[in-house]
Amino acid sequence: MSNPQQLRYTKEHEWLSAVEDGVATVGITEFAANALGDVVYAQLPEVGDTVTEGETCGELESTKSVSDLYSPVSGEITEFNQDVVDDPSLVNSAPFEGGWLFKVRLSEEPKHALTADEYAALTHSDN
């Protein structure tokens, strides 16, 4: 399992892209997608919603369980991935590409972001 070096990660298994014009993209990691099993439903935050770092902002339902989705940052949702709502399996098949979940305009820098190497150590996965 390879965690892209340019992303930042959380202990709750979300990833965060580099910030462009104040907006970052958020998804869940391959580790989380594999642990969940086949994702069959995604409830994502709506455009205009405000999210808070570490707080629940949606959920992913798989054939194994329902899992809360936590925001890795605080800010306002600018976009959500309609493709994932229509085809939740993208979370499993392309967690770092087409399976991204939402974009958020940051109100502050993330406090607890991990590097790819720190996340790999947390999950004991190869980078």
Side-chain angles (χ1 to χ4, degrees), residues 71-115:
S71 181
V73 294
S74 296
E76 182 179 337
I77 301 301
T78 61
E79 184 179 350
F80 66 92
N81 191 345
Q82 185 64 50
D83 290 341
V84 166
V85 172
D86 295 341
D87 181 7
S89 70
L90 286 171
V91 171
N92 298 106
S93 64
F96 296 115
E97 295 89 24
W100 63 273
L101 301 176
F102 60 88
K103 295 185 180 188
V104 58
R105 181 169 307 283
L106 276 59
S107 59
E108 59 187 41
E109 289 298 312
K111 296 178 186 81
H112 306 289
L114 305 173
T115 66

Side-chain angles (χ1 to χ4, degrees), residues 28-41:
I28 68 164
T29 64
E30 185 176 6
F31 178 88
N34 289 340
L36 274 172
D38 295 333
V39 177
V40 296
Y41 174 76

Side-chain angles (χ1 to χ4, degrees), residues 17-30:
S17 73
V19 178
E20 295 181 26
D21 296 325
V23 176
T25 303
V26 173
I28 68 164
T29 64
E30 185 176 6

